[in-house]
């Protein structure tokens, strides 16, 4: 058995001293001095088509919603300190920053409808915001747009224990939903490192992928219905709980992944799968990227029906995680690559046997050089913390450039080396040299889904570094017929690069869809199209 040959799971006493709950998203805030105040992204000019807020606007909002749900600065007639709005104006990366003077936190769909109707009539621009964990600058204002935060809409509307269909408000936090359905023998069909902060409405708007995608697929399949408020205040009630419904166009699909540009999601109906009774997780040390691929092929062959996740990360990611988390590697040495394999099924003996055989074969073939199999739930959580803790650890290392791409698996990691070489040639990076502007180049991701996260940690966000990646990364991806956004969306970051993944005809139709749903373009302006 693999566990008896190589298992290096930490002994119980070590586990207790370093125990840490599964990674949840702790917001990383860099001090301004480290940020570098030069924005290294293109900030479009403010459109003068949008009205500047006045005291009368504020008076209207105060009349339709409780005063504690309206946060306005003195500039628009309120009393809030700009600092109170800071968390709504700055994104998780602290890369994108807006200048909103008004945050509205409605409690009901009716209030969302009244807000949008008013904003549409008066041409007031609005940014819908969930947990503000988005990574493409989509969730924060660019200029003075009103922030429409869904955080006060967090009620579960219904749950059917037989079908596992959950209907809830858009502002429910993903982790809390996971706990709720978990107590009822189910799991959410998606899971991601930001689960402690992100909202289900934000997940839907971003069409988030995450670590359960390999098994449960995209939200386009799991979401059964949506309640959406359109720009003019119309409430589209499509909160279906039906699995099958072929009555014409499936409009809800348009809002999944629309990043707040077509409507505001206020309610979500989602199918939650049965919680698997047997879950196994193993972490492997792997010598080459080629072996990462061979291990994936074998994992699918030997454990196909129970394989629920296959993730990888490189040595630079592991270094950052070990530096910034209270975690120890479960392996006895360092490796160029690490793989996390998860199986989920209903028969523990069967799954143990299958995974054990796979791990033995991987070791015998030299595909994996070391490995550890989690022995209990806390070790499973710690292995996942290692993987899910990568973005946060890199953020603690420094401002991080992020590229989230789909590329055919055989060439998926090539771009990491390519980018490192480009940076070296430009004199911006030298591995181990802390005096250079770029500290770390690394790759990780959901390899089972062909999704790489290329992350580059720098001293600050600055143009001479950005210019190395953009448009180079997008050209590279397009030349392999990949996607410039596998799961994080377009937002502001990739708006000007959409053509690398979509044809002119498709972009033209996207614009027509935008015009149809939001003719005055008040919803999340400057983003996506
Ligand atoms: P926000 O960040 O607030 O918003 C995201 C977008 O949706 C914005 O354009 C916003 O305008 C819009 N929006 C938000 N709520 C609504 C609404 N109710 N109606 C209409 N539009 C709305 N993404 C993945 O796909 N996979 C991952 O594994 C993953 N891991 C992450 C790990 C970390 C540590 C972090 C910080 C982010 C990660 N993300 C991941 C990125 C991000 O997509 C998710 O965190 C999440 O889906 C965003 O949800 P949110 O509620 O924070 O939305
Ligand atoms: C993940 O898979 C997230 O951990 C975040 O999608 C990726 O930060 C990133 O680049
Ligand atoms: Zn991801």
């Amino acid at each position: 058995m693999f566990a008896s040959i190589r298992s290096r799971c930490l002994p119980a006493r070590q586990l207790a001293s370093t125990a840490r709950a599964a990674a949840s998203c702790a917001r990383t805030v860099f001090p301004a001095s480290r940020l570098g105040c030069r924005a290294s992204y293109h900030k479009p000019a403010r459109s003068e088509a949008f009205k500047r807020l006045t005291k009368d606007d504020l008076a209207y909002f105060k009349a339709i919603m409780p005063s504690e749900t309206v946060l306005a600065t003195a500039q628009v007639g309120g009393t809030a300190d700009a600092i109170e709005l800071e968390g709504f104006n700055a994104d998780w990366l602290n890369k994108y920053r807006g200048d909103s003077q008004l945050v509205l936190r409605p409690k009901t769909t009716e209030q969302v409808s009244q807000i949008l109707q008013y904003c549409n009539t008066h041409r007031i621009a609005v940014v819908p915001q969930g947990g503000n964990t988005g990574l493409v600058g989509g969730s924060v204002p660019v200029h003075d747009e009103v922030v429409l935060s869904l955080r006060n809409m967090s009620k579960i509307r219904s749950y059917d224990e037989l079908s596992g269909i959950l209907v809830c408000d858009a502002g429910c936090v993903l982790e809390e939903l996971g706990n709720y359905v978990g107590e009822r023998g189910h799991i959410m069909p998606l899971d991601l490192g930001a689960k402690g902060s992100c909202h289900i409405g934000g997940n839907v708007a971003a069409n988030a992928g995450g670590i359960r995608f390999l098994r449960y697929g995209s939200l386009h399949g799991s979401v059964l219905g949506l309640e959406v408020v359109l720009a003019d205040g119309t409430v589209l009630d499509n909160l279906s709980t039906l699995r099958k419904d072929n009555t014409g166009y499936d409009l809800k699909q348009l809002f999944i992944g629309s990043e707040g540009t077509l409507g505001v999601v206020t309610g979500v109906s989602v199918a939650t799968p049965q919680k698997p009774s047997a879950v196994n997780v193993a972490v492997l040390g792997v010598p080459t990227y080629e072996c990462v691929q061979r291990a994936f092929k074998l994992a699918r062959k030997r454990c196909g029906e129970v394989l629920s996740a296959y993730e990888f990360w490189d040595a630079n990611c592991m270094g950052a995680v070990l530096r910034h988390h209270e975690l120890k590697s479960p392996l006895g040495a360092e490796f160029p690559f690490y793989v996390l394999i998860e199986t989920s099924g209903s028969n523990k003996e069967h799954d143990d046997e299958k995974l054990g055989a796979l791990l033995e074969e991987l070791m015998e073939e030299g595909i994996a050089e070391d490995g550890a199999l989690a022995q209990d739930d806390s070790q499973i959580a710690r292995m996942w913390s290692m993987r899910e803790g990568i973005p946060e650890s890199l953020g603690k290392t420094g401002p991080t450039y992020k590229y989230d791409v789909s590329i055919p698996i055989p060439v998926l990691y090539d771009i990491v080396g390519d980018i490192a070489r480009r940076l070296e040639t430009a004199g911006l990076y030298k591995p181990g040299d802390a005096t250079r502007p770029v500290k770390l180049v690394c790759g990780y991701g959901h390899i089972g889904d062909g999704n790489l996260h290329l992350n580059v940690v720098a001293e600050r966000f600055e143009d001479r570094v950005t210019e190395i990646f953009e448009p180079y990364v997008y050209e590279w991806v397009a030349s392999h017929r990949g996607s410039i956004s596998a799961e994080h969306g377009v937002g502001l970051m990739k708006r000007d690069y959409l053509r690398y993944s979509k044809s002119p005809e498709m972009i033209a139709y996207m614009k027509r869809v935008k015009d149809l749903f939001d003719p005055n373009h008040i919803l999340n302006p400057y983003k996506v199209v």
Side-chain angles (χ1 to χ4, degrees):
M1 272 290 286
F2 174 84
S4 62
I5 306 168
R6 296 272 190 163
S7 174
R8 293 182 200 274
C9 283
L10 301 173
R13 62 179 186 285
Q14 249 178 303
L15 274 177
S17 64
T18 56
R20 187 180 176 281
S24 69
C25 160
R27 203 182 140 78
T28 311
V29 179
F30 304 110
S33 57
R34 266 177 69 195
L35 270 174
C37 284
R38 267 172 75 205
S40 85
Y41 62 95
H42 169 62
K43 202 170 177 135
R46 185 185 183 283
S47 164
E48 288 310 320
F50 297 128
K51 182 179 182 231
R52 291 182 194 272
L53 289 174
T54 63
K55 289 184 178 150
D56 290 346
D57 300 318
L58 184 62
Y60 174 79
F61 295 124
K62 282 193 167 165
I64 60 158
M65 49 204 291
S67 57
E68 78 276 8
T69 62
V70 178
L71 203 56
T73 66
Q75 200 174 311
V76 294
T79 52
D81 205 305
I83 216 86
E84 288 179 63
L85 277 77
E86 173 68 11
F88 299 93
N89 270 315
D91 77 325
W92 191 83
L93 292 167
N94 242 331
K95 178 176 178 186
Y96 300 94
R97 191 171 289 261
D99 187 28
S100 179
Q101 305 296 319
L102 178 64
V103 176
L104 301 175
R105 293 166 293 180
K107 291 187 167 178
T108 64
T109 302
E110 178 59 23
Q111 287 169 6
V112 175
S113 167
Q114 285 175 296
I115 292 168
L116 290 186
Q117 194 179 18
Y118 181 87
C119 290
N120 194 46
T121 306
H122 294 86
R123 307 288 191 270
I124 296 171
V126 177
V127 181
Q129 192 177 84
N132 196 10
T133 66
L135 299 172
V136 289
S139 51
V140 289
V142 178
H143 297 287
D144 56 350
E145 300 90 282
V146 172
V147 175
L148 178 55
S149 164
L150 276 294
R151 68 170 59 166
N152 278 339
M153 291 184 63
S154 55
K155 288 197 186 69
I156 288 175
R157 299 191 189 181
S158 67
Y159 186 66
D160 178 351
E161 302 214 4
L162 181 63
S163 63
I165 295 169
L166 170 75
V167 181
C168 64
D169 285 351
C172 290
V173 171
L174 180 62
E175 188 168 53
E176 288 167 14
L177 291 178
N179 294 339
Y180 178 89
V181 301
E183 285 161 15
R184 289 153 182 83
H186 285 249
I187 58 170
M188 293 302 287
L190 84 161
D191 189 11
L192 42 113
K195 58 179 153 280
S197 302
C198 65
H199 297 177
I200 188 72
N203 300 146
V204 168
N207 189 23
I211 55 182
R212 290 190 183 146
F213 191 100
L214 186 71
R215 165 66 68 87
Y216 301 108
S218 127
L219 285 174
H220 282 292
S222 309
V223 170
L224 303 181
L226 292 179
E227 178 186 85
V228 182
V229 183
L230 302 182
D232 66 0
T234 303
V235 180
L236 272 193
D237 179 359
N238 181 214
L239 261 185
S240 166
T241 53
L242 305 172
R243 281 199 169 267
K244 299 177 99 172
D245 176 14
N246 273 352
T247 47
Y249 305 132
D250 189 358
L251 290 183
K252 72 172 181 294
Q253 300 297 353
L254 277 176
F255 299 96
I256 301 175
S258 65
E259 302 181 52
T261 61
L262 297 182
V264 176
V265 177
T266 48
V268 179
S269 163
V270 59
T272 68
Q274 194 71 39
K275 188 193 241 173
S277 52
V279 176
N280 286 311
V281 174
V283 168
L284 308 174
V286 178
T288 61
Y289 179 68
E290 204 227 322
C291 287
V292 173
Q293 296 176 71
R294 286 173 63 198
F296 179 50
K297 198 163 175 202
L298 212 54
R300 279 208 295 198
K301 196 164 163 191
R302 301 278 181 255
C303 298
E305 77 283 15
V306 286
L307 185 67
S308 51
Y310 188 92
E311 300 278 319
F312 94 112
W313 60 98
D314 66 15
N316 282 345
C317 295
M318 189 65 151
V321 169
L322 298 180
R323 260 195 309 281
H324 294 291
H325 274 71
E326 285 179 14
L327 286 168
K328 287 207 167 73
S329 170
L331 307 180
E334 290 174 11
F335 297 91
F337 294 96
Y338 300 84
V339 160
L340 184 151
I341 299 179
E342 183 190 78
T343 63
S344 305
S346 58
N347 182 331
K348 179 138 180 57
E349 248 173 50
H350 164 272
D351 296 0
D352 286 358
E353 198 179 305
K354 287 209 136 186
L355 182 61
L358 167 70
L359 297 176
E360 261 179 38
E361 194 174 343
L362 290 172
M363 303 287 289
E364 273 166 23
E365 299 277 322
I367 298 172
E369 292 183 338
D370 196 2
L373 181 62
Q375 303 295 303
D376 55 35
D377 286 352
S378 106
Q379 290 189 359
I380 287 178
R382 282 160 48 73
M383 285 183 175
W384 269 118
S385 292
M386 204 159 271
R387 161 63 185 90
E388 291 188 297
I390 295 170
E392 194 190 331
S393 307
L394 295 172
K396 286 181 177 166
T397 309
T400 310
Y401 288 88
K402 290 180 180 290
Y403 296 91
D404 155 49
V405 296
S406 279
I407 328 182
I409 294 175
V411 295
L412 182 127
Y413 194 75
D414 289 358
I415 192 161
V416 179
D418 220 13
I419 282 294
R421 278 189 295 279
R422 267 176 78 81
L423 287 163
E424 281 191 62
T425 307
L428 298 169
Y429 171 62
K430 193 163 177 227
D433 182 350
T435 65
R436 305 285 171 131
V438 169
K439 310 288 164 219
L440 210 59
V441 180
C442 60
Y444 59 105
H446 319 285
I447 195 166
D449 311 323
N451 178 185
L452 172 78
H453 296 309
L454 162 68
N455 279 208
V456 178
V457 182
E459 186 62 32
R460 60 179 60 82
F461 294 118
E462 57 178 322
D463 294 348
R464 63 179 172 158
V465 179
T466 309
E467 280 158 13
I468 298 288
F469 314 126
E470 298 175 20
Y472 182 80
V473 171
Y474 304 129
E475 286 168 355
W476 200 102
V477 169
S479 74
H480 289 91
R481 295 189 65 80
S483 169
I484 64 163
S485 176
E487 58 175 12
H488 296 164
V490 177
L492 182 61
M493 178 184 177
K494 300 176 191 174
R495 180 193 79 154
D496 296 334
Y497 300 105
L498 207 50
R499 66 183 184 281
Y500 288 99
S501 284
K502 291 283 188 289
S503 67
E505 294 77 16
M506 291 180 85
I507 293 173
Y509 268 91
M510 283 187 195
K511 288 183 174 167
R512 287 173 73 172
V513 172
K514 170 74 179 170
D515 289 342
L516 177 67
F517 284 98
D518 178 17
N520 297 323
H521 293 199
I522 61 157
L523 285 175
N524 223 356
Y526 319 108
K527 321 274 175 64
V528 186
V529 284

